[in-house]
């Protein structure tokens, strides 16, 4: 069976810690506030806000790469996609014990009396800890 070459686009995934991915890709699936958004070659121009979650990148060879991201944004234009996030890490690199401790810390703070700002910060910490734990369990051993 002949292998069909699928179209690709330029993709960069960047965080404050450096470049996570900088190559061509067939597809990227992004976590957004209202669900996941997929970007393929030739996608229309857009700018999106990202939520805490997992990005899924399909390489030109058809392999999937996963990354756990925190808040960020995406720009798609001219068959290029640039993802800028606060943090990104591979699921297999997540320290599950530390993520569990962060989850427990956030849960403890949510039940305490605190300002609205502190409550929102605790909610964000809880969401990030849950995302990291879930991704480590689902994708960490691949």
């Amino acid at each position: 069976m002949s292998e069909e070459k699928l179209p690709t686009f330029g993709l960069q995934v960047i965080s404050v810690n450096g470049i996570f991915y900088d190559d061509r890709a067939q597809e990227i699936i992004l976590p957004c506030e209202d669900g996941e958004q997929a970007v393929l070659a030739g996608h229309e121009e857009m700018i999106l806000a990202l939520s805490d979650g997992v990005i899924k990148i399909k390489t030109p060879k058809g392999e999937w790469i996963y990354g756990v991201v925190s808040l960020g944004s995406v720009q798609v234009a001219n068959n290029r996609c640039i993802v800028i996030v606060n943090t990104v890490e591979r699921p297999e690199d997540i320290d599950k014990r530390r993520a569990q401790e962060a989850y427990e810390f956030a849960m403890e703070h949510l039940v305490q009396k605190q300002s609205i700002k502190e409550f929102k910060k605790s909610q964000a910490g809880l969401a990030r800890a849950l995302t990291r734990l879930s991704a480590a369990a689902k994708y960490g051993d691949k």
Side-chain angles (χ1 to χ4, degrees), residues 7-126:
T8 61
F9 59 95
L11 174 63
Q12 288 182 305
V13 179
I14 305 165
S15 78
V16 286
N17 296 331
I19 297 173
F20 178 78
Y21 187 87
D22 187 6
D23 202 351
R24 307 292 295 171
Q26 289 182 22
E27 178 179 8
I28 183 169
I29 301 173
L30 304 159
C32 299
E33 186 69 32
D34 57 351
E36 293 183 327
Q37 172 77 40
V39 174
L40 301 169
H43 199 286
E44 69 181 339
E45 293 183 5
M46 66 178 177
I47 296 176
L48 292 172
L50 292 183
S51 301
D52 291 335
V54 177
I55 59 169
K56 302 163 191 152
I57 301 167
K58 190 172 187 181
T59 68
K61 295 179 181 179
E63 301 166 348
W64 286 96
I65 297 172
Y66 303 95
V68 180
V69 298
S70 59
L71 301 176
S73 64
V74 178
Q75 178 185 11
V76 180
N78 302 323
N79 210 34
R80 289 183 43 87
C81 179
I82 301 172
V83 179
I84 300 175
V85 291
N86 289 331
T87 61
V88 60
E89 59 189 325
R90 296 184 186 281
E92 58 269 18
D93 294 340
I94 293 173
D95 182 341
K96 293 177 187 172
R97 182 188 55 78
R98 230 176 102 218
Q100 183 65 38
E101 288 172 359
Y103 168 79
E104 291 167 4
F105 180 82
M107 286 298 289
E108 286 175 21
H109 280 79
L110 277 175
V111 298
Q112 295 174 3
K113 187 173 181 174
Q114 51 190 337
S115 70
I116 292 174
K117 181 179 177 182
E118 291 168 329
F119 181 76
K120 293 289 186 186
K121 188 175 178 181
S122 295
Q123 277 185 322
L126 180 63

